[in-house]
């Protein structure tokens, strides 16, 4: 989605994708946007060729000790690296209760990822001067869309189908108690880490 939005706003975008299936789906969804095979640890791009490198909920798939130097290599002087994660706004009461239910059901601390999003974890090399910002947004979606979004989270990849189905069925009942008309107000915090490379010295 991030690639599509950048492209729609006029950016000259090149996508980098390591997986066969996702690359094929990308080509179907965005046939006008080039996609190259690779990952953040070894970007298949020439040096100083990009003004902006973004990782939308994907930086945790990299090895920052390798990915940070790669980003610096590919960015032009004055270019920017933007890392962001879309996280649930756990200060909203019904969302906090839903997060607690998920933790109990799966025996995990699913909110730990949000607490661990900071500059030292993203860049243990200390090479980047990352600035952290939080942007809140919300949307109204049908209950089925809300549940489908929950079911797409990575935790479900490690669960058997029966356990996942039981959780989603229980969650449907809980969410309907809060939104009886079936339209759910989801509230999110986008956590953004942003760094720019140095400009060359002026004469």
């Amino acid at each position: 989605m991030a690639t599509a939005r950048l492209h729609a706003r006029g950016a000259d975008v090149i996508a980098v994708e390591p997986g066969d299936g996702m690359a094929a789906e990308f080509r179907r969804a965005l046939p006008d946007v080039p996609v190259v095979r690779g990952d953040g640890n070894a970007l298949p791009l020439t040096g100083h060729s990009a003004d902006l490198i973004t990782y939308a909920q994907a930086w945790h798939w990299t090895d920052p000790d390798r990915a940070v130097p790669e980003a610096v290599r590919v960015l032009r002087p004055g270019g920017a690296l933007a890392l962001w994660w879309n996280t649930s706004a756990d200060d909203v009461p019904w969302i906090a209760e839903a997060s607690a239910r998920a933790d109990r059901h799966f025996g995990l601390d699913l909110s730990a990822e949000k607490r661990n999003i900071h500059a030292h974890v993203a860049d243990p090399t200390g090479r980047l001067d990352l600035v952290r910002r939080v942007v809140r947004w919300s949307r109204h979606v049908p209950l089925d869309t809300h549940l489908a979004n929950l079911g797409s989270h990575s935790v479900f990849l490690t669960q058997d189908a029966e356990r996942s189905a039981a959780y989603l069925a229980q969650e449907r009942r809980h969410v309907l108690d809060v939104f009886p008309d079936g339209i759910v107000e989801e509230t999110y915090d986008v956590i953004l880490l942003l760094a720019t490379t140095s400009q060359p010295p002026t004469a």
Side-chain angles (χ1 to χ4, degrees), residues 5 30 35 46 55 60 64 70 76 97 99 109 113 117 119 122 143 146 154 160 174 176 188 193 203:
R5 295 292 177 86
L30 296 170
V35 57
T46 59
Y55 285 83
H60 55 280
E70 272 295 273
R76 295 189 179 103
E97 293 167 3
S99 295
D109 184 359
E113 179 186 27
I117 299 173
L143 176 58
H146 172 72
S154 58
D160 62 66
H174 286 298
L176 277 173
Y188 296 97
L193 298 178

Side-chain angles (χ1 to χ4, degrees), residues 115-128:
R115 295 196 301 271
N116 289 333
I117 299 173
H118 52 77
H120 178 69
V121 171
D123 175 25
T125 71
R127 186 170 181 176
L128 300 174

Side-chain angles (χ1 to χ4, degrees), residues 133-169:
R133 296 286 185 268
V134 179
V135 179
R136 175 158 291 190
W137 68 283
S138 63
R139 66 176 184 172
H140 292 82
V141 298
L143 176 58
D144 285 343
T145 300
H146 172 72
L147 294 174
N149 180 48
L150 288 179
S152 71
H153 292 181
S154 58
V155 65
F156 287 91
L157 298 176
T158 62
Q159 307 295 320
D160 62 66
E162 185 176 345
R163 186 173 180 80
S164 296
Y167 167 75
L168 292 173

Side-chain angles (χ1 to χ4, degrees), residues 1-13 30 32-33:
M1 181 178 291
T3 302
R5 295 292 177 86
L6 288 168
H7 178 63
R9 284 163 172 75
D12 185 9
V13 180
L30 296 170
D32 297 330
V33 178

Side-chain angles (χ1 to χ4, degrees), residues 9-95:
R9 284 163 172 75
D12 185 9
V13 180
I14 298 175
V16 177
E17 171 56 49
D20 291 335
M22 289 300 293
E25 179 60 30
F26 183 94
R27 291 187 183 99
R28 283 192 292 270
L30 296 170
D32 297 330
V33 178
V35 57
V36 294
R37 302 300 302 281
D39 62 52
N41 298 326
L43 292 169
L45 303 168
T46 59
H48 306 302
S49 61
D51 295 310
L52 174 67
I53 297 175
T54 67
Y55 285 83
Q57 307 224 155
W59 187 249
H60 55 280
W61 295 111
T62 72
D63 173 1
D65 288 326
R66 298 167 62 194
V68 168
E70 272 295 273
V72 173
R73 178 185 69 80
V74 172
L75 283 169
R76 295 189 179 103
L81 173 66
L83 320 174
W84 68 81
W85 294 260
N86 200 41
T87 67
S88 296
D90 285 332
D91 60 326
V92 176
W94 83 265
I95 294 176

